[in-house]
Amino acid sequence: MVGNAAEQFNIHEAKTNLSRIVERVERGEEIVISRAGHPVAKVVPLVRRADRTGRGSLRGALTLGAGWDSDETNEAIADEFGIPR
């Protein structure tokens, strides 16, 4: 909400209206949750960095080298992470 104050709900109202609050947040609103009139939390929309639908969502977009899963590569990665082999 650019330039507007976020709507405020007390904890009891927020528990009672959680699904409505989530619907509003999904539409881009920000909601403040208060305890005894003092703001304690803000519910804001999440911005997804990638629109992946599940397994295989990178199929065709990723090219792996011939030795990507070789023993040498795995040992080098283990060494980088300090994992004894």
Side-chain angles (χ1 to χ4, degrees):
M1 296 178 61
V2 178
N4 295 331
E7 185 160 353
Q8 198 164 321
F9 287 85
N10 68 40
I11 290 178
H12 177 73
E13 290 173 325
K15 288 193 306 187
T16 303
N17 296 298
L18 180 60
S19 37
R20 288 186 192 107
I21 289 171
V22 170
E23 287 174 7
R24 290 174 63 175
V25 170
E26 286 176 327
R27 291 193 303 263
E29 292 185 53
E30 293 183 356
I31 305 291
V32 173
I33 310 295
S34 305
R35 182 190 312 269
H38 299 285
V40 294
K42 183 187 277 188
V43 184
V44 298
L46 287 177
V47 177
R48 294 177 68 183
R49 292 190 184 124
D51 194 19
R52 294 194 184 117
T53 56
R55 284 189 159 175
S57 63
L58 291 176
R59 184 171 288 140
L62 184 62
T63 304
L64 300 173
W68 74 272
D69 195 25
S70 69
D71 288 339
E72 295 82 20
T73 301
N74 290 332
E75 287 176 20
I77 292 170
D79 289 342
E80 290 289 325
F81 283 95
I83 300 170
R85 296 205 23 125

